[in-house]
Amino acid sequence: MTLHIHGYSRSGNCLKIKWTAQKLGLPFEWTEVDVMTGGSRTPAFLAMNPAGQVPTVVLEDGRVLAQSNAVILHLADGSNLIPKDPYERAKMFEWLFWEQYSHEPYIAVARFHRLMLGKGPDEVEARIMERGEAALERLELQLSETPFLVGDHLSLADVALVAYTRVADEGGFDLARYPAIQAWVTRVEAALRITD
Amino acid sequence: MTLHIHGYSRSGNCLKIKWTAQKLGLPFEWTEVDVMTGGSRTPAFLAMNPAGQVPTVVLEDGRVLAQSNAVILHLADGSNLIPKDPYERAKMFEWLFWEQYSHEPYIAVARFHRLMLGKGPDEVEARIMERGEAALERLELQLSETPFLVGDHLSLADVALVAYTRVADEGGFDLARYPAIQAWVTRVEAALRITD
């Protein structure tokens, strides 16, 4: 069996997996799941993943795996997307957990409210926007010092963080205020050959 | 230098690191940081970790690491707390990311509102309680099938998830409704020699 990604193309969490597979030259199939119309809540989908979330991946041996960052760690095991140095690897993990706890719930959620739910700028909770700006400030600080999040090389930290950062504008964040982030987005998009 | 944990004893995220170090027989120092009175926002603390969050760990070589799950992964590297089998390891990661995204923001946050901020049961957002119950239901489902979260052995998934689950009652969740979780908490507490 070929690696099979059940994903939604507007979800950065799903795109992380596609980009990682492409970068590593892993063949995959993609089935589009429209989460906005209940596509991840059908009996067939829930039988595969009771959590009813995308991305859900069926590995080559038929076993199922969820959680975007867990999937990219699994696919990239042993590759140069995961630093060999133990401390650099730990810093990559620090960014991956920070992404899910302190970045995605604000940057991606603001975009969800604006783009998917059609809310206006004043209808997104101020707390979400404030914490989103704090997350961008932290990225800007790091990327003013290093070309990638962990030192001099592309790692899964960049793959995970670029997913929603590159479209943060769609959530009402002004990336023009963050020049180091903008340069890094361009760098990571080139490294991952992201063209859309 | 000895491993140095800057943590708050009522924070499950901090305790994860203490328990992991103890389980692995790693000597460590603990400095109590009272986050409720600004202890993680002092100039000295911010110089160590600009994010101003506990836990913050200073490794034996003086380098700093944050994010509880990143720290326990680093400390336990090569130990039997991380499954050797690639798929089991991936499932462990799935639980670790799920913990930070779908469990901690509800189970720990409800406890924070009740215990630290002194709110009454009706003052905690209904959404937080609903998602907390959903997280407990998912744990119950898994633990009805396997003794630990990943198969037959204790792993970091159990360390990370037990931290706030064992005190979920303090956030207004009734663990008596989840017998498999209760049995697992007892099992993991024994394995980690948690006595308080």
Side-chain angles (χ1 to χ4, degrees):
Chain A
M1 286 169 70
T2 310
L3 173 72
H4 198 132
I5 306 169
H6 296 263
Y8 180 52
S9 295
R10 298 179 90 172
S11 154
N13 284 330
C14 297
L15 293 174
K16 289 175 193 176
I17 299 176
K18 178 180 157 181
W19 298 331
T20 301
Q22 285 174 342
K23 181 71 179 172
L24 296 169
L26 302 173
F28 65 91
E29 292 177 41
W30 177 281
T31 294
E32 187 71 15
V33 179
D34 187 349
V35 297
M36 300 304 287
T37 58
S40 60
R41 298 282 168 180
T42 64
F45 193 95
L46 291 171
M48 184 169 64
N49 179 1
Q53 293 172 329
V54 292
T56 294
V57 163
V58 182
L59 301 172
E60 295 185 351
D61 63 7
R63 292 193 284 189
V64 175
L65 196 58
Q67 294 290 326
S68 59
N69 289 349
V71 174
I72 61 175
L73 280 165
H74 184 65
L75 297 183
D77 196 15
S79 80
N80 60 9
L81 290 175
I82 299 178
K84 299 283 178 285
D85 175 75
Y87 182 72
E88 289 194 349
R89 195 164 60 236
K91 294 298 283 183
M92 179 200 72
F93 280 122
E94 190 184 295
W95 284 112
L96 292 179
F97 287 107
W98 179 82
E99 190 255 342
Q100 288 289 290
Y101 196 77
S102 299
H103 180 280
E104 205 268 12
Y106 310 112
I107 302 293
V109 168
R111 175 175 175 261
F112 183 81
H113 285 292
R114 297 289 300 276
L115 198 64
M116 316 292 196
L117 304 182
K119 290 188 182 177
D122 298 336
E123 294 174 282
V124 179
E125 258 183 87
R127 178 180 148 276
I128 290 179
M129 299 307 293
E130 284 161 17
R131 296 195 179 185
E133 295 288 356
L136 293 174
E137 282 162 20
R138 182 162 174 207
L139 283 178
E140 180 74 10
L141 186 66
Q142 181 64 49
L143 295 166
S144 305
E145 293 176 2
T146 54
F148 295 101
L149 287 170
V150 182
D152 295 335
H153 299 284
L154 181 80
S155 77
L156 293 181
D158 304 293
V159 176
L161 263 312
V162 88
Y164 288 106
T165 303
R166 65 190 282 272
V167 290
D169 282 325
E170 295 175 355
F173 300 100
D174 181 8
L175 285 181
R177 293 182 49 213
Y178 303 101
I181 290 180
Q182 284 191 309
W184 164 80
V185 166
T186 302
R187 208 176 294 135
V188 176
E189 286 179 342
L192 295 175
R193 296 194 192 85
I194 300 170
T195 51
D196 54 338
Chain B
M1 288 168 72
T2 310
L3 174 70
H4 199 132
I5 305 169
H6 297 263
Y8 180 53
S9 294
R10 299 178 89 173
S11 154
N13 283 331
C14 297
L15 293 173
K16 289 175 194 176
I17 299 175
K18 178 179 157 182
W19 299 331
T20 301
Q22 285 174 342
K23 181 71 179 172
L24 296 170
L26 303 174
F28 65 91
E29 291 177 40
W30 177 282
T31 295
E32 187 70 14
V33 179
D34 188 348
V35 297
M36 300 304 287
T37 58
S40 59
R41 297 281 168 181
T42 64
F45 193 95
L46 291 173
M48 185 167 63
N49 178 3
Q53 293 171 329
V54 292
T56 295
V57 162
V58 182
L59 301 172
E60 295 184 352
D61 63 7
R63 291 192 285 189
V64 176
L65 196 59
Q67 293 290 326
S68 59
N69 290 349
V71 174
I72 62 176
L73 279 165
H74 184 65
L75 297 183
D77 196 16
S79 81
N80 59 10
L81 290 175
I82 299 178
K84 298 283 178 284
D85 174 77
Y87 183 72
E88 289 194 349
R89 193 164 62 236
K91 293 299 283 185
M92 180 198 72
F93 281 121
E94 190 184 294
W95 285 112
L96 291 179
F97 287 107
W98 180 82
E99 189 255 344
Q100 288 288 292
Y101 196 79
S102 298
H103 181 280
E104 206 266 15
Y106 310 112
I107 303 293
V109 168
R111 176 175 175 260
F112 183 81
H113 284 292
R114 296 289 298 276
L115 198 64
M116 315 295 195
L117 303 182
K119 290 187 181 178
D122 299 336
E123 294 174 284
V124 179
E125 258 183 86
R127 178 180 149 277
I128 290 178
M129 299 308 292
E130 285 162 15
R131 296 195 180 185
E133 295 288 356
L136 293 174
E137 282 162 22
R138 182 162 175 206
L139 283 178
E140 180 73 9
L141 185 68
Q142 181 64 48
L143 295 166
S144 305
E145 294 176 4
T146 54
F148 295 99
L149 287 171
V150 181
D152 295 335
H153 299 284
L154 181 80
S155 76
L156 293 181
D158 304 293
V159 176
L161 263 312
V162 88
Y164 287 106
T165 303
R166 66 190 281 270
V167 290
D169 282 325
E170 295 175 355
F173 298 100
D174 181 9
L175 285 183
R177 293 181 51 212
Y178 303 100
I181 290 179
Q182 285 191 309
W184 164 79
V185 165
T186 302
R187 207 176 295 133
V188 176
E189 285 179 343
L192 295 175
R193 295 194 192 84
I194 299 170
T195 53
D196 54 336

